[in-house]
Amino acid sequence: MARIIGGVGTSHVPALGAASDHNKHDEPYWKPLFDGLGPARKWIEKAKPDVVILVFNDHASAFSVELINTFVLGVADDYQPADEGYGPRPVPLVVGNAAFSSHIAESLVMDEFDIAIANEMDVDHGLTVPLTVMYDKPEQWPCQVIPLCVNVIKYPQPTGNRCFNIGKAIRKAVESYPQDLRVVIFGTGGMSHQLQGERAGFVNSEFDHMFMDGLIEDPARLTKIGHTEYLRDAGSEGIELIMWLIMRGALSDDIEEVYRFYHVPVSNSAYGLIVFDEKSEV
Ligand code: DHB
Ligand code: FE
């Protein structure tokens, strides 16, 4: 049987990907950030997931405003890094697992989560930066990746509660797959940030810490945070945090926080990273 062995929450700040691509790890601005990623990288090196279910959002790279899907599951054999205006990032091809993805797609739809299905999808910084965060700069990504893309960039976005519940359905889908696979789920995006308007550069560390504490202490409370509250308290792009609730929904209640790192600012964002182990799998 496939099993979820842990979860990761991480921001996907594109400048972090560019800093890695251009080997800026030791520059004064970047060193504290890259140093802070170390323990999470050690954890995943030891956890060795076969598959990462990577919950992310597209930033009008693969999908434009012609067709807005709330949830899109990738079922392809592989995914090309997207060209976001400067050419594709020089990172490895993202290799999928079509059979496992198709099983998850079927299980979700039978569970009444009517996702869209992508047979082809380029993946932008929303997906590739979290891989860089956890795996640095390998020749090949050491895991297969199943992308779940969530609309957080156009209203109406899904609620945090819907995200939490699709996370639970993902767990059910994973646990009904007969092959022995070690799975880690990533919830990505956030934390508080606003890229535009009068409050551009807005960060709210109090909100971010409340959110990270809530993941372990009281996730049900986080599912009640509404869109207006995200906008007001976490900035216009803070709503990306609903993707962390998919990750949390896919974990059990018997988890342990193994690592947390928070650093402000990274580009225009508050950078957050959290790692959970399923205690039964340690
Ligand atoms: C930044 C953050 C994001 O989440 C994003 O998608 C683009 C830019 C930033 O902080 O610069
Ligand atoms: Fe973003």
Side-chain angles (χ1 to χ4, degrees):
M1 178 182 105
R3 289 148 24 237
I4 295 188
I5 59 168
V8 172
T10 173
S11 317
H12 62 213
V13 192
L16 191 165
S20 169
D21 297 344
H22 296 104
N23 297 312
K24 295 187 177 177
H25 306 80
D26 290 326
E27 288 188 4
Y29 184 87
W30 291 106
K31 191 170 178 353
L33 178 78
F34 283 108
D35 285 352
L37 307 182
R41 288 173 168 176
K42 283 215 174 75
W43 173 84
I44 207 156
E45 209 179 299
K46 208 160 144 238
K48 280 199 182 20
D50 302 300
V51 179
V52 165
I53 297 177
L54 208 155
V55 182
F56 78 111
N57 73 284
D58 178 70
H59 301 76
S61 306
F63 306 111
S64 65
V65 290
E66 279 121 36
L67 182 64
I68 295 159
N69 287 294
T70 304
F71 298 110
V72 185
L73 188 76
V75 298
D77 289 325
D78 49 54
Y79 308 89
Q80 293 284 348
D83 183 348
E84 299 181 60
Y86 300 91
R89 284 191 65 207
V91 292
L93 180 72
V94 175
V95 174
N97 181 330
F100 191 19
S101 276
S102 300
H103 166 83
I104 295 171
E106 182 176 358
S107 183
L108 289 178
V109 173
M110 288 305 120
D111 246 345
E112 302 178 350
F113 289 91
D114 306 317
I115 50 161
I117 290 170
N119 290 304
E120 196 180 319
M121 175 165 64
D122 288 356
V123 288
D124 72 10
H125 69 269
L127 185 136
T128 61
V129 168
L131 288 175
T132 299
V133 163
M134 295 306 287
Y135 289 118
D136 199 6
K137 297 181 76 164
E139 295 261 307
Q140 302 296 331
W141 299 121
C143 59
Q144 296 173 329
V145 176
I146 295 184
L148 176 68
C149 176
V150 182
N151 168 42
V152 293
I153 65 169
K154 294 292 284 182
Y155 284 93
Q157 296 106 337
T159 62
N161 191 49
R162 183 72 171 160
C163 289
F164 191 72
N165 286 331
I166 199 174
K168 286 189 188 169
I170 289 170
R171 183 178 186 87
K172 191 170 148 194
V174 168
E175 291 184 340
S176 59
Y177 194 62
Q179 199 183 337
D180 281 337
L181 291 172
R182 294 164 65 77
V183 178
V184 168
I185 183 161
F186 289 11
T188 67
M191 298 200 83
S192 61
H193 65 302
Q194 171 147 346
L195 302 177
Q196 60 236 312
E198 281 177 23
R199 289 202 310 171
F202 174 81
V203 159
N204 182 349
S205 297
E206 200 180 318
F207 179 92
D208 294 331
H209 289 301
M210 177 282 295
F211 192 92
M212 287 201 278
D213 289 344
L215 287 173
I216 195 103
E217 287 163 11
D218 191 3
R221 176 169 54 90
L222 299 184
T223 66
K224 298 191 180 70
I225 299 173
H227 293 156
T228 311
E229 207 174 332
Y230 279 111
L231 183 62
R232 190 177 53 225
D233 293 346
S236 54
E237 276 70 44
I239 184 122
E240 290 180 345
L241 280 169
I242 60 175
M243 297 183 286
W244 293 39
L245 295 179
I246 299 183
M247 175 272 289
R248 183 61 189 90
L251 299 179
S252 75
D253 284 334
D254 194 25
I255 56 168
E256 184 179 17
E257 181 181 327
V258 292
Y259 186 59
R260 186 191 294 206
F261 174 60
Y262 185 76
H263 184 79
V264 174
V266 178
S267 184
N268 305 290
S269 302
Y271 178 82
L273 172 63
I274 200 159
V275 179
F276 298 112
D277 256 341
E278 285 285 356
K279 283 192 199 162
S280 59
E281 301 289 343
V282 177

